[in-house]
Amino acid sequence: MTARATRKARPERPAMSEDYNFAYLDEDTKRMIRRALLKGIAIPGYQVPFASREMPMPYGWGTGGVQVTAACLVPEDRLKVIDQGADDTTNAVSIRRFFERTAGVATTTRTREATLIQTRHRIPEEPLREGQILVYQVPIPEPLRFLEPRESETRRMHALEDYGLMHVKLYEDIARHGEIATSYAYPVRVAGRHVMDPSPIPKFDNPKLSGNAAIQLFGAGREQRIYAVPPWTQVVSLDFEDHPFTPSKADAACDLCGAAGSYLDEVITDDAGSRMFVCSDTDYCTTRQAEGHRGRLNREEVA
Amino acid sequence: MSPLLRVESLGKSYGARLGCAEVSFDLWPGEVLGIVGESGSGKSTLLGCLAGHLAADSGRILYRGRDTRAMSEPERRMLARTEWAFVHQNPRDGLRMGVSAGGNVGERLMAVGARNYGQIRAAATDWLGRVEIAATRIDDRPRQFSGGMQQRLQIARNLVTGPRLVFMDEPTGGLDVSVQARLLDLLRGLVRDMGLSVVIVTHDLAVARLLADRLMVMKDGHVIEQGLTDQVLDDPQAAYTQLLVSSVLQV
Ligand SMILES: Nc1ncnc2c1ncn2[C@@H]1O[C@H](COP(=O)(O)OP(=O)(O)OP(=O)(O)O)[C@@H](O)[C@H]1O
Ligand SMILES: [Mg+2]
């Protein structure tokens, strides 16, 4: 190991950027993660095992995504971090601060200005472009897990393209609820080969996975898996002929910016149960408002 | 006509312990072959090798002329979910306990590419009927079924894709006598109607007599006698078979 690789963070002292290697992880670890990423890019949708490291944050905070981000960052990057579409949640703020401190990279909340976006549970509304990287935080990478708990067996199913079980899950949904009730982490088939869990994004976002110009990388820290969707890859959501996939959302427009085609969060606004719908993608919403778009509850500001 | 399955000098050991050795036989289309013998005689080992669950050490297994031991794993798996079926003694080993009856039956259809929910459901309903499970139970989980129903569900799940060759390991073991009789009746009807070829392992000679056209008697991993079921049971040649038959008749 190099001297640099053995240099450790010293948590008992106030954190200073000189205490860490660039982006916290040592170079050997980053190389190991990059090798896994390259393999993932070469075999779209295939889960590559990697030796996940302890990160100075709990697993639930997306340590897999953080490690992938750390392995991809270069000093010229401009980083955006979102959690459920928002840049200002505790999780997003902490991860952004973490990389500001350990990598000194510039950050932004603007999708179009970012070179690397780490996300939990959403794909930005604004179409991504070539050269951008989208890093997903993944809790459970194995889409077959809920029906087949044995890892040896799910691995063999992937190897042999034995995916009948995935449709059994959808069959069960329809039998029980009259429709495919899966609305998050909706399974997809990547490049006509591997079945993949797209992480808990709403199924509304599934179409954006396909033919996307950006590099999409997925990191699961606790489960130690990395997978990827290269740019312009076909990603198909699984379904039945007589129960086709539908990327649904609330049947409303954003009450702040008026967008009719973006994914909405429902917000309770008072004790009487009044509700409003707002874009879950806060950057998209504020950008639209800045451009003069107005929603139902935002009209007076026009004047 | 050529045999559906031809087995030549098949052998399998577990380290130093013998599983089965020098097993040879032909199975013809539409034929039911019973394998009988005492506990530990190698019946399950043989069946496991035939079905590709266990890797044999030596010999050849020709299915419709093709050596299954030389096949790639994907080829063998494809056979296993289209032309073959395997009924386990314990329904828990052959069913998905967390999946509804309809999903259990539909899985094999979906595994070979069925993508129409309505058609899958119709096929599942039809098959539940054929194994005498009420259509109203289609969305129930196997746990809510009796042992006999679970076994019938396992049979429906296996036969829905219309296999040619069915392996069964003690399919009536662990069931009450009356439940056994009903299941045997059902099996006999399905074998006849579908023209199935079957290799069935049992230590119950009454089951063998009812279902099997031919019998193979195993002892210490070796086949010591084989022939038409009535011949073997009514006029056993090997001393061990005589013992086996007489001890059963005493029951
Ligand atoms: N996984 C295993 N590892 C080691 N030895 C085994 C294994 N499975 C079976 N054997 C041995 O191989 C021999 C044949 O066992 P097998 O299970 O095939 O018998 P069987 O005829 O099916 O018996 P039973 O009627 O009790 O089911 C026995 O001596 C058994 O102990
Ligand atoms: Mg046995």
Side-chain angles (χ1 to χ4, degrees):
Chain A
M1 274 213 282
T2 63
R4 201 190 212 180
T6 54
R7 201 192 300 166
K8 286 266 165 57
R10 270 161 284 168
E12 68 275 13
R13 277 184 22 191
M16 287 168 54
S17 58
E18 307 88 69
D19 285 344
Y20 303 91
N21 190 28
F22 175 75
Y24 184 79
L25 290 176
D26 63 74
E27 292 304 309
D28 281 352
T29 299
K30 285 196 264 181
R31 259 195 299 277
M32 176 272 291
I33 294 172
R34 285 177 200 138
R35 273 196 294 272
L37 288 169
L38 287 173
K39 188 166 177 184
I41 293 275
I43 316 170
Y46 171 75
Q47 296 167 50
V48 185
F50 82 109
S52 181
R53 293 296 143 93
E54 289 295 326
M55 298 300 285
M57 59 190 75
Y59 279 119
W61 285 44
T63 57
V66 167
Q67 289 176 81
V68 169
T69 296
C72 290
L73 274 183
V74 291
E76 304 77 49
D77 267 320
R78 185 173 292 274
L79 176 71
K80 169 179 166 78
V81 182
I82 47 173
D83 176 8
Q84 312 260 17
D87 298 84
D88 57 0
T89 67
T90 318
N91 187 321
V93 170
S94 306
I95 293 173
R96 196 164 55 233
R97 285 225 186 96
F98 176 77
F99 283 115
E100 276 170 346
R101 216 174 59 223
T102 61
V105 292
T107 60
T108 180
T109 58
R110 306 290 303 273
T111 297
R112 80 182 55 155
E113 286 171 10
T115 55
L116 193 155
I117 303 170
Q118 179 169 333
T119 179
R120 175 170 173 271
H121 298 189
R122 276 310 311 275
I123 299 176
E125 301 291 354
E126 182 168 327
L128 301 177
R129 52 182 161 72
E130 272 187 37
Q132 286 183 309
I133 297 176
L134 184 60
V135 175
Y136 297 76
Q137 301 172 199
V138 179
I140 297 169
E142 179 49 71
L144 300 162
R145 171 76 48 85
F146 293 105
L147 291 157
E148 179 51 75
R150 290 168 297 175
E151 162 97 24
S152 58
E153 192 54 28
T154 54
R155 216 180 290 177
R156 190 174 315 155
M157 287 170 162
H158 284 294
L160 300 176
E161 276 183 79
D162 189 356
Y163 288 133
L165 195 54
M166 209 63 250
H167 272 86
V168 171
K169 182 171 170 351
L170 300 179
Y171 169 95
E172 293 287 286
D173 249 17
I174 303 173
R176 216 167 308 154
H177 308 287
E179 60 179 359
I180 299 177
T182 303
S183 53
Y184 290 88
Y186 192 104
V188 294
R189 187 147 191 177
V190 182
R193 178 58 182 86
H194 284 93
V195 167
M196 184 186 96
D197 184 328
S199 87
I201 57 172
K203 67 176 179 175
F204 173 82
D205 281 342
N206 272 26
K208 299 185 200 136
L209 292 160
S210 189
N212 199 312
I215 299 177
Q216 301 177 76
L217 305 174
F218 299 78
R222 190 181 39 215
E223 304 259 347
Q224 316 212 42
R225 290 290 183 281
I226 278 171
Y227 49 100
V229 175
W232 310 115
T233 302
Q234 187 199 49
V235 180
V236 177
S237 302
L238 303 183
D239 62 2
F240 289 102
E241 293 158 5
D242 47 348
H243 286 268
F245 171 77
T246 47
S248 59
K249 66 180 264 294
D251 187 19
C254 174
D255 286 324
L256 294 181
C257 79
S262 80
Y263 192 72
L264 302 172
D265 287 335
E266 193 176 354
V267 182
I268 308 290
T269 49
D270 60 29
D271 292 344
S274 305
R275 307 170 309 166
M276 67 186 286
F277 286 104
V278 295
C279 290
S280 110
D281 184 335
T282 49
D283 168 61
Y284 181 76
C285 198
T286 49
T287 303
R288 275 180 55 85
Q289 290 177 64
E291 286 165 1
H293 297 283
R294 286 291 179 270
R296 187 175 60 96
L297 300 177
N298 203 12
R299 302 254 182 240
E300 63 274 27
E301 289 172 32
V302 180
Chain B
M1 198 161 68
S2 53
L4 188 69
L5 190 68
R6 165 161 285 177
V7 177
E8 297 172 351
S9 303
L10 196 69
K12 158 90 187 160
S13 294
Y14 302 94
R17 177 173 295 137
L18 184 69
C20 65
E22 289 169 53
V23 177
S24 300
F25 67 89
D26 285 344
L27 181 73
W28 297 87
E31 190 181 33
V32 178
L33 175 69
I35 303 176
V36 298
E38 65 188 359
S39 185
S41 57
K43 306 183 297 291
S44 294
T45 301
L46 173 59
L47 202 69
C49 289
L50 297 178
H53 299 170
L54 296 171
D57 302 329
S58 56
R60 297 209 301 168
I61 304 168
L62 302 172
Y63 174 74
R64 301 175 75 196
R66 298 176 60 216
D67 189 348
T68 65
R69 290 189 62 212
M71 280 181 192
S72 67
E73 174 79 8
E75 278 180 296
R76 218 174 11 241
R77 277 228 163 183
M78 185 47 87
L79 267 186
R81 59 184 194 239
T82 53
E83 305 207 2
W84 298 353
F86 197 104
V87 179
H88 296 263
Q89 170 172 0
N90 187 342
R92 285 172 180 278
D93 297 332
L95 290 173
R96 291 195 187 280
M97 300 307 282
V99 168
S100 70
N104 265 285
V105 178
E107 181 176 354
R108 267 173 81 109
L109 294 170
M110 293 181 247
V112 296
R115 292 292 178 265
N116 186 294
Y117 175 83
Q119 286 167 11
I120 293 163
R121 195 144 171 101
T125 307
D126 176 47
W127 265 98
L128 291 180
R130 290 173 78 165
V131 298
E132 299 164 13
I133 295 174
T136 52
R137 307 297 302 271
I138 191 169
D139 294 327
D140 291 350
R141 306 270 173 98
R143 306 185 210 294
Q144 295 161 267
F145 290 180
S146 68
M149 284 172 81
Q150 289 182 2
Q151 201 55 306
R152 282 181 273 134
L153 180 62
Q154 193 194 174
I155 288 164
R157 166 179 161 86
N158 269 281
L159 298 188
V160 65
T161 48
R164 295 167 188 259
L165 174 58
V166 184
F167 302 102
M168 302 189 195
D169 197 347
E170 306 271 12
T172 60
L175 297 175
D176 294 345
V177 177
S178 63
V179 178
Q180 262 191 32
R182 186 168 164 208
L183 187 67
L184 283 172
D185 257 4
L186 182 80
L187 273 177
R188 209 151 61 141
L190 289 170
V191 166
R192 195 184 47 226
D193 295 347
M194 300 177 73
L196 299 173
S197 302
V198 179
V199 181
I200 178 170
V201 163
T202 179
H203 62 257
D204 186 339
L205 296 189
V207 170
R209 166 112 53 197
L210 203 65
L211 282 181
D213 303 308
R214 271 192 315 129
L215 276 192
M216 230 162 62
V217 183
M218 294 189 71
K219 184 179 190 322
D220 301 331
H222 291 264
V223 176
I224 54 162
E225 182 162 0
Q226 56 176 315
L228 295 175
T229 302
D230 291 344
Q231 262 172 25
V232 172
L233 293 184
D234 297 338
D235 185 18
Q237 300 301 303
Y240 173 75
T241 313
Q242 291 167 3
L243 198 69
L244 201 67
V245 170
S246 63
S247 65
V248 158
L249 294 182
Q250 281 163 20
V251 172

